[in-house]
Amino acid sequence: MGRVTARTKIVHLTVGGAADAAMVRRMDTLAAEEPLEIRVGSRPLAVTMRTPGDDVELAAGFLVSEGVITRAEQFASAIHCAGADSRGPDGANTYNVLDVALAAGTAPPDPARARHSYTTSACGVCGAASIDQVRTSSVFDVSADDVRVDIAVLARLPEALRARQAVFDRTGGLHAAALCDARTGDVLAVREDVGRHNAVDKVIGWAVLHDRLPLRGTVLQVSGRASFELVQKAVMAGIPILSAVSAPSSLAVALAETSGLTLVGFARGTSMNVYAAAERIAVDEPVPV
């Protein structure tokens, strides 16, 4: 499999007074970033820039986000191709092409939805042909999920996620997503990736492979901002609550409001902002607005 991290030579500079300035040559650890081409039935669907590892989960979660599958039994198998286009200069398999087989009776992706450009690690929707393709209707109604989460439980999730970011500790260059039980705060799965949308697809893919869709009664905790595509992915997987340590975008808030998803931003320690569906958060002594 591809490497999660890579080593490189750097020059480390320390700025200070004339006598304190220093220059040291040393090795540094980077988060690996490589392309992954996702195929379905040998037909190319998308290319995403990702951190190698958990590729099957990434593909499964991506197919949920795209509305191709909604149940575990629809995802039959996946295999890293070993063809000429998936080998490096030395002939070794780069593990950068993954071919998914859908179960019999599962409709393949619409060829019109194939992404003809790279989906970068910064944005999950850059390769989509149009915004209409991104606004995929979910078969799961998150607005009907009556789960409630205690504010104390919600406040603990960012630190619970941070404590499990092992590769971030080594590189400082990865996003992370955690799927958590809304009632207990138990962390069900954590995945890291250079792309925030990939990290989310990986935890959703974990749920697919464990036959847990729809993800009722869960919280998706993410390490960065809450973008439109992250809200869309949560809705597609049936996740009722999305919490982010940074700000949401205006389009993310609009989609959360329309879908009935609870959207939390700036979740840091003892404070947070709730942008949509605040009624799911249980507070002992609610303060009048």
Side-chain angles (χ1 to χ4, degrees):
M1 295 296 295
R3 297 175 297 171
V4 176
T5 62
R7 299 282 286 172
T8 189
K9 296 178 180 178
I10 67 166
V11 176
H12 179 71
L13 302 177
T14 301
V15 180
D20 298 328
M23 176 186 293
V24 179
R25 297 183 183 276
R26 71 183 192 193
M27 299 298 292
D28 194 27
T29 301
L30 306 177
E33 182 177 28
E34 297 180 10
L36 175 69
E37 180 182 340
I38 299 173
R39 299 177 181 175
V40 177
S42 300
R43 299 187 65 172
L45 177 63
V47 177
T48 185
M49 301 302 296
R50 98 302 188 194
T51 298
D54 304 308
D55 288 343
V56 176
E57 293 178 346
L58 172 58
F62 180 79
L63 292 177
V64 171
S65 299
E66 293 293 297
V68 178
I69 63 173
T70 58
R71 304 185 309 277
E73 59 264 29
Q74 294 176 312
F75 190 92
S77 63
I79 186 171
H80 282 97
C81 300
D85 56 351
S86 62
R87 293 190 178 277
D90 59 355
N93 194 334
T94 61
Y95 296 98
N96 285 337
V97 178
L98 188 76
D99 195 6
V100 175
L102 301 179
T106 303
D110 183 347
R113 294 186 63 83
R115 301 189 178 192
H116 301 294
S117 62
Y118 281 104
T119 300
T120 72
S121 56
C123 174
V125 300
C126 296
S130 70
I131 193 66
D132 291 336
Q133 291 185 355
V134 178
R135 291 184 178 274
T136 310
S137 297
S138 176
V139 299
F140 306 126
D141 182 8
V142 297
S143 67
D145 194 327
D146 60 0
V147 67
R148 285 173 63 82
V149 57
D150 189 272
I151 189 172
V153 170
L154 199 56
R156 293 197 301 266
L157 298 186
E159 183 56 35
L161 172 60
R162 179 65 187 87
R164 290 166 172 80
Q165 291 182 248
V167 184
F168 179 86
D169 288 338
R170 298 163 57 192
T171 65
L174 289 181
H175 293 283
L179 190 64
C180 309
D181 185 291
R183 292 183 174 86
T184 65
D186 292 343
V187 177
L188 306 175
V190 173
R191 295 294 182 266
E192 294 180 278
D193 200 278
V194 287
R196 60 174 61 87
H197 63 288
N198 289 336
V200 170
D201 276 340
K202 286 179 178 180
V203 295
I204 293 175
W206 171 89
V208 172
L209 300 182
H210 287 80
D211 196 15
R212 299 185 69 129
L213 292 186
L215 286 164
R216 297 187 181 94
T218 61
V219 179
L220 178 63
Q221 176 67 55
V222 296
S223 61
R225 62 186 177 87
S227 59
F228 170 84
E229 66 264 25
L230 297 196
V231 173
Q232 185 244 358
K233 289 176 185 296
V235 171
M236 293 298 292
I239 299 171
I241 305 168
L242 170 60
S243 172
V245 299
S246 293
S249 68
S250 61
L251 199 55
V253 173
L255 181 59
E257 291 176 337
T258 301
S259 304
L261 175 137
T262 299
L263 180 59
V264 177
F266 294 105
R268 302 172 183 177
T270 58
S271 68
M272 63 192 73
N273 293 343
V274 185
Y275 295 87
E279 62 274 8
R280 284 200 181 96
I281 302 177
V283 182
D284 291 338
E285 297 181 3
V287 177
V289 176

